[in-house]
């Protein structure tokens, strides 16, 4: 909610562009710092035996869907986050669209390091995907924002439900990755 109050309604294109420029400035600074860490690792004797994980928290809308913050369940605005895992025994320069949660990283790193996952962990081991980009991930993912939004993603499909507004959205993420064409009212 706080983020949505950063710009007045209606959102002016100039204000949104300025906010996006600031965001890109922050990301560029972060990229430089990550590069410094990776350069230091590459110059160290530990480079070939270190697993590197890069991720982030949820995304931020910055104008898409008329929103500014993270308080939504749209794929590219808030749900999808970067997850890069690199190291010994992991395929280099591979990408997968397999679905996972960030809490799946814990048992994955454990498996790579020979440490069993805690019994109470709900995460699943992703090492199969790290060795074969075609390996399947989770069959579906569930999301929530407070008690006002729920979503499920399965394959190419994503449904978002707004219980208080009695509204549902359905998107084909393959054909509509920006979630602009609501199919929920289609036969």
């Amino acid at each position: 909610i706080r983020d949505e109050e950063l710009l007045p309604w209606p959102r002016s294109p100039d204000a949104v562009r300025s906010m996006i420029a600031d965001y890109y400035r922050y990301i560029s600074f972060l990229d430089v710092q990550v590069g410094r860490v990776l350069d230091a690792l590459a110059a160290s004797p530990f480079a070939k035996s270190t697993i590197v994980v890069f991720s982030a928290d949820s995304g931020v809308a910055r104008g898409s869907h008329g929103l500014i913050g993270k308080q939504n369940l749209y794929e590219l605005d808030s749900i999808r986050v970067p997850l890069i895992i690199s190291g010994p025994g992991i395929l280099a320069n591979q990408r997968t669209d397999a679905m996972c949660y960030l809490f799946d990283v814990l048992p994955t790193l454990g498996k790579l390091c020979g440490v069993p996952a805690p019994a109470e962990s709900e995460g699943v081991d992703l090492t199969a995907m790290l060795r074969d980009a075609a390996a399947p991930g989770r069959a579906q993912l569930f999301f929530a924002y407070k008690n006002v939004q729920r979503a499920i993603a399965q394959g190419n499909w994503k449904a978002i439900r707004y219980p208080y507004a009695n509204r549902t959205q359905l998107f084909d993420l393959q054909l509509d990755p920006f979630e602009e064409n609501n199919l929920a009212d289609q036969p």
Side-chain angles (χ1 to χ4, degrees), residues 54-77:
F54 177 85
S55 190
D57 70 348
S58 58
V60 63
R62 294 299 180 242
S64 41
H65 294 98
L67 303 169
I68 297 301
K70 303 176 179 207
Q71 297 79 16
N72 67 79
L73 298 179
Y74 291 116
E75 191 78 5
L76 299 177
D77 299 338

Side-chain angles (χ1 to χ4, degrees), residues 27-40 52 54:
I27 296 302
S28 295
F29 177 78
L30 178 65
D31 284 348
V32 169
Q33 304 315 309
V34 169
R36 289 177 62 205
V37 170
L38 293 176
D39 288 346
V52 175
F54 177 85

Side-chain angles (χ1 to χ4, degrees), residues 1-20 22 61-64 66-69:
I1 295 171
R2 175 196 73 231
D3 293 341
E4 293 303 328
E5 295 173 352
L6 292 174
L7 290 180
W9 284 93
R11 316 266 196 230
S12 78
D14 286 341
V16 170
R17 272 193 296 277
S18 177
M19 185 173 270
I20 291 170
D22 285 343
R62 294 299 180 242
S64 41
L67 303 169
I68 297 301

